[in-house]
Amino acid sequence: MSRKIIIDTDPGVDDALAIVMAANSPELNVLGLTTVFGNVSVEQATTNALILSEFASYDIPVYKGEAVPVTRTPAPYADFVHGDDGFGNINWPESDKQAQTQHAVDFIIEQVRKYPGEVTLVPLGPLTNIARVLEKAPDVAALVKEVVLMGGAARHCGNVSPVAEANIMGDPHAADKVFTANWPVVMIGLDVTSQVLLKHDDMQKIAQLNPKQGEFLRQACDFYIDFYQQTLGIAGCMVHDPSTIAYILDPSLFEVEQGRIRVVTDGLAIGQTTFAPDDRKFPYPGWDNLPQQKVCMKVRAQALLDLVTGRLSA
């Protein structure tokens, strides 16, 4: 029986990789794509999600979600990373499909209540939609199977500030609410995603083996990989969002630690994910009576890359 997932997304090149990977995995049933601001506006994210839904062999509906953070002023979109269109400025034709009229938050609540204990939430962008779910329907926390998210950095440096990862920085107040809610969270952050690189040669092979999906992904990744080369001197792009799908398919690829997670919501360290190991007690407030969450600390890099490229080539 396939595992039910909802992907909350702001596509985004690496979002596209993750969504196609999920659609190509028979172990998974993508109930829907819910969109959020982040790499692009929520309007562009919805347009992009509709394009990606057409690459699936079954119908995956798209639901538009939140356009701005819960509290903070919205940050500029990362067009220098993902292009103005989120797909590396490749001008891919828009889909004829339309987004559903139901709001993304309401769709998530409906599906989790419909399938109690069966739905895994897979957030790939700022956590605004997920926090709104908790605000609107607190009962849902006890009904979700798992939240497997891409975001944060427990011990690695940040990528938008010395301490903050982009998705968490996008809405730190929402992220703190999600990490401290009483439901199981798996944080897949820069500690592991920075260890795996997808290169031009990998994308060429994927396009050759899977022309329909692969050529789109190859074109989108050209811009993304060039950003890494020019900015960080790295000959490939980090496999951020696809790592969530890889974890769901094979958790044994990752070494996990448990502990409490908080997010700094103001000041110089805004957006920092702070991790308190489960065996430590602290004399200051803010760390007591919090749920134990999982943080991926190490990864079998080549095995993860093989899983990602294999599914994208299918």
Side-chain angles (χ1 to χ4, degrees):
M1 197 169 139
S2 55
R3 181 169 177 176
K4 297 177 178 67
I5 69 171
I6 295 173
I7 300 178
D8 191 66
T9 180
D10 59 336
V13 178
D14 56 330
D15 301 71
L17 294 167
I19 290 165
V20 173
M21 183 181 174
N24 288 359
S25 297
E27 303 95 330
L28 304 179
N29 176 13
V30 184
L31 299 176
L33 304 177
T34 55
T35 63
V36 68
F37 71 94
N39 294 319
V40 291
S41 69
V42 72
E43 290 79 13
Q44 186 66 52
T46 304
T47 296
N48 292 355
L50 289 165
I51 292 171
L52 294 169
S53 72
E54 290 205 334
F55 286 119
S57 61
Y58 57 96
D59 181 54
I60 300 178
V62 174
Y63 299 82
K64 183 179 174 183
E66 295 293 308
V68 294
V70 169
T71 300
R72 73 165 302 191
T73 302
Y77 303 125
D79 55 357
F80 58 96
V81 181
H82 297 271
D84 293 326
D85 64 354
F87 290 155
N89 296 331
I90 62 175
N91 298 313
W92 199 266
E94 292 187 10
S95 170
D96 292 331
K97 294 176 63 176
Q98 298 294 316
Q100 305 297 306
T101 56
Q102 186 179 27
H103 192 278
V105 170
D106 295 325
F107 169 73
I108 293 171
I109 294 169
E110 174 193 85
Q111 293 299 301
V112 172
R113 286 175 173 167
K114 182 178 179 181
Y115 302 109
E118 296 183 39
V119 178
T120 297
L121 304 182
V122 189
L124 306 179
L127 292 166
T128 314
N129 285 337
I130 312 304
R132 293 298 190 195
V133 166
L134 291 168
E135 291 175 359
K136 191 168 186 177
D139 64 293
V140 162
L143 304 177
V144 166
K145 180 180 178 69
E146 198 171 33
V147 181
V148 180
L149 65 87
M150 192 280 130
R155 296 181 181 131
H156 198 277
C157 65
N159 60 1
V160 291
S161 86
V163 296
E165 181 276 330
N167 286 341
I168 305 302
M169 180 69 99
D171 195 340
H173 297 83
D176 191 57
K177 182 180 289 290
V178 170
F179 283 123
T180 57
N182 192 24
W183 58 5
V185 174
V186 181
M187 185 181 106
I188 301 177
L190 301 180
D191 303 276
V192 290
T193 65
S194 63
Q195 304 306 309
V196 187
L197 291 181
L198 194 62
K199 301 181 179 180
H200 280 299
D201 288 348
D202 297 315
M203 297 313 303
Q204 290 283 6
K205 292 175 184 176
I206 289 168
Q208 290 169 4
L209 293 168
N210 179 9
K212 180 181 176 184
Q213 299 171 336
E215 181 56 27
F216 163 80
L217 295 173
R218 184 198 66 76
Q219 290 184 35
C221 281
D222 278 350
F223 187 98
Y224 195 45
I225 293 172
D226 287 346
F227 160 77
Y228 277 94
Q229 180 68 60
Q230 294 165 14
T231 306
L232 300 175
I234 297 173
C237 61
M238 295 178 187
V239 186
H240 296 306
D241 292 342
S243 296
T244 60
I245 307 303
Y247 178 90
I248 294 169
L249 294 172
D250 187 0
S252 72
L253 295 174
F254 299 85
E255 184 176 306
V256 173
E257 294 183 24
Q258 287 195 310
R260 295 144 289 166
I261 305 170
R262 296 298 306 267
V263 178
V264 179
T265 56
D266 58 24
L268 190 64
I270 187 171
Q272 181 178 18
T273 45
T274 55
F275 175 69
D278 62 357
D279 59 349
R280 290 290 305 275
K281 298 290 184 182
F282 299 96
Y284 295 97
W287 295 102
D288 294 329
N289 303 316
L290 294 178
Q292 299 290 326
Q293 310 294 16
K294 294 179 180 177
V295 178
C296 293
M297 293 297 191
K298 295 181 181 179
V299 61
R300 290 163 47 205
Q302 188 58 53
L304 186 143
L305 184 63
D306 290 344
L307 178 57
V308 171
T309 56
R311 295 304 170 100
L312 294 178
S313 300

